[in-house]
Amino acid sequence: MNWALLFPLLVTTLLGVFSWFAAHWLSSTRDRENKKRDLRLSFLLEAYRRLEAGANRGSLEGTDFAAGFESAIADIQLLGTVEQAQLAKNVAISIARRDPQASAGPLLRSLRDELREHLSLQPLAEEPLHFRLTVGNKSSA
């Protein structure tokens, strides 16, 4: 047996197999992290939309916005940062206590800032504006 030829071939083969396993493991890890990030961002973006839709509307009871607002609070507590989960909890408690000062503003700003950062968009310094169109009572002449 020619050891001088066998040893380099064995080392090369082992290095190739090890490199393939390492590359596969790193690629799988990266793919899992990207999928988790994309899923989290998708849920938080949808939560932002539902919160914003219900913000500054007065009482949400009996409206189409109530279920979305509740679901958004739950999603944020599940997938948001520690700060966002605490803000969501505070909003929920304030609303449950019927606090007239209850506001989702700080929570919306935190979500907006994080989403913009993850999407590589410039940060916005001003507070979010919640534009609401209302249809006035039409009086007949």
Side-chain angles (χ1 to χ4, degrees):
M1 182 162 294
N2 188 353
W3 291 104
L5 183 59
L6 182 62
F7 183 71
L9 286 174
L10 210 79
V11 169
T12 303
T13 302
L14 288 173
L15 281 174
V17 169
F18 175 76
S19 297
W20 181 83
F21 277 112
H24 176 71
W25 180 78
L26 290 171
S27 178
S28 296
T29 301
R30 183 192 67 231
D31 290 346
R32 270 192 310 275
E33 291 301 315
N34 285 341
K35 183 68 173 172
K36 275 193 325 189
R37 188 190 78 239
D38 291 346
L39 184 63
R40 181 175 177 268
L41 286 176
S42 175
F43 270 86
L44 290 179
L45 182 58
E46 188 58 32
Y48 179 89
R49 288 180 178 146
R50 290 186 310 241
L51 272 181
E52 199 284 327
N56 294 345
R57 290 197 182 270
S59 175
L60 294 177
E61 291 180 49
T63 68
D64 295 336
F65 301 107
F69 202 88
E70 293 167 357
S71 177
I73 294 291
D75 286 347
I76 293 165
Q77 289 185 68
L78 177 63
L79 297 168
T81 63
V82 172
E83 175 198 9
Q84 291 164 352
Q86 186 62 48
L87 288 169
K89 181 180 174 183
N90 293 344
V91 168
I93 289 170
S94 294
I95 291 172
R97 290 182 180 157
R98 301 194 185 282
D99 180 1
Q101 299 300 318
S103 172
L107 176 56
L108 283 167
R109 182 161 185 177
S110 177
L111 286 169
R112 182 191 70 181
D113 291 346
E114 182 182 356
L115 290 167
R116 290 185 68 82
E117 180 182 329
H118 281 295
L119 297 171
S120 300
L121 298 171
Q122 288 183 309
L124 298 174
E126 67 271 353
E127 289 294 321
L129 172 68
H130 309 290
F131 181 69
R132 302 288 175 245
L133 285 176
T134 56
V135 179
N137 292 337
K138 295 181 181 177
S139 58
S140 56

